[in-house]
Amino acid sequence: MLMKSPVDSLSPKTSVDPQTSEEELVKLAQQGEEVAVREIIRRLNPRLFRIARGILDNSAEAEEIVQETYLVAFTRIEEFRGDSKLSTWITKIALNAAKMRLRKRHPTQEYDSVSEQLHQTASVIAFPSASQRSPESEHGVTQFREWVESAVSELPSNLRIVFVLREAEGMAIADIAADLGITVMTVKTRLFRARRHLKKLFESHIQGGFENVYPFDGARCAHMADSVVELLADVFRTTRSE
């Protein structure tokens, strides 16, 4: 079902900023306002990419899932009634999309299900401050982040997604349980197993944290917004011609 809106294409009629409330952004997105769509994408890109990357094995597939998630969400935005936060609603779409992709590759493997069936189609320690870093230091941090990402990627997907949501995204355990449709005890158990596994690798190396794992910002974030807006416009144009 496509967006039921007073307008039949995305339109730049108003302005938003980082202080614009989620409620207002939803209203504007439901009216087809492009600036609201872009602001929602900007706010949710890091979380959705980390979620997708936490489940899938490579960044390219994770980006595909993020884009697919936005297309589903914004073509069904009229279904959002505000019973939960927008970020929760879209997060569940991303989780379902990523898990559906994984099931297609491994149909006999079990994965946690998300209770709300929205997708019908397609302690944290900071890294050293970026300020006052020498080029050598910056290179070292980049290498370390790549090493951390590689280690996290080796975790089984059911441990990796819980670990990434907790350590990289900073989500509360209860929220992770709700989003994944599992119990709080299961979340705690998987976090313990993930940390125990990583501890063996990090004991002699770790001097940073995980909030920079699987970053998704800057040019990548802007490119995602451009791609989603362009694809949504194509959807609306196709709908008008039918």
Side-chain angles (χ1 to χ4, degrees):
M1 181 182 299
L2 295 176
M3 188 188 309
K4 296 177 180 177
S5 168
V7 294
D8 58 3
S9 63
L10 294 175
S11 57
K13 293 183 177 179
T14 188
S15 61
V16 299
D17 57 46
Q19 283 69 49
T20 302
S21 69
E22 181 177 285
E23 182 180 5
E24 181 63 20
L25 287 175
V26 170
K27 290 179 181 178
L28 292 172
Q30 289 174 333
Q31 295 168 8
E33 292 287 355
E34 179 179 329
V35 288
V37 171
R38 288 180 176 274
E39 177 62 15
I40 291 170
I41 290 172
R42 185 193 68 79
R43 293 183 187 186
L44 296 184
N45 262 340
R47 170 178 288 196
L48 296 187
F49 180 75
R50 282 168 170 163
I51 286 171
R53 186 60 181 84
I55 294 174
L56 300 169
D57 294 331
N58 65 78
S59 295
E61 276 195 304
E63 287 195 42
E64 290 177 5
I65 290 300
V66 173
Q67 181 170 281
E68 182 180 336
T69 295
Y70 287 133
L71 290 176
V72 171
F74 289 120
T75 54
R76 301 180 62 184
I77 191 70
E78 84 285 347
E79 298 178 18
F80 180 72
R81 296 289 180 258
D83 297 331
S84 61
K85 293 178 63 177
L86 180 69
S87 58
T88 299
W89 187 73
I90 296 182
T91 290
K92 289 182 178 180
I93 296 175
L95 284 166
N96 281 326
K99 289 171 183 177
M100 188 176 296
R101 175 75 64 93
L102 210 54
R103 287 190 186 101
K104 289 179 179 178
R105 293 208 308 262
H106 307 288
T108 60
Q109 188 171 346
E110 293 184 0
Y111 301 96
D112 301 320
S113 61
V114 178
S115 57
E116 188 174 357
Q117 296 301 315
L118 291 170
H119 188 269
Q120 302 298 327
T121 60
S123 90
V124 180
I125 307 172
F127 278 123
S129 171
S131 59
Q132 300 180 344
R133 280 187 193 157
S134 67
E136 294 79 9
S137 175
E138 187 68 43
H139 178 67
V141 169
T142 298
Q143 284 188 317
F144 176 72
R145 190 187 71 197
E146 291 173 351
W147 188 81
V148 170
E149 288 184 357
S150 176
V152 172
S153 294
E154 292 179 10
L155 291 170
S157 63
N158 62 338
L159 303 186
R160 186 170 65 232
I161 181 60
V162 170
F163 182 83
V164 169
L165 290 178
R166 177 61 174 170
E167 299 293 358
E169 197 58 35
M171 289 178 62
I173 288 177
D175 291 337
I176 295 172
D179 280 355
L180 296 180
I182 57 180
T183 67
V184 167
M185 183 57 66
T186 299
V187 173
K188 291 181 177 179
T189 299
R190 292 181 182 180
L191 276 174
F192 173 78
R193 290 170 58 194
R195 288 167 175 161
R196 183 177 60 185
H197 178 82
L198 293 173
K199 183 174 182 291
K200 296 175 182 178
L201 300 175
F202 294 164
E203 276 183 338
S204 61
H205 299 280
I206 191 167
Q207 295 180 3
F210 301 98
E211 78 281 5
N212 286 328
V213 171
Y214 304 146
F216 198 91
D217 52 16
R220 293 177 77 192
C221 181
H223 177 69
M224 177 63 70
D226 290 340
S227 296
V228 171
V229 167
E230 182 178 346
L231 288 168
L232 285 172
D234 288 340
V235 170
F236 292 131
R237 283 195 295 268
T238 302
T239 302
R240 289 201 304 273
S241 65
E242 291 177 349

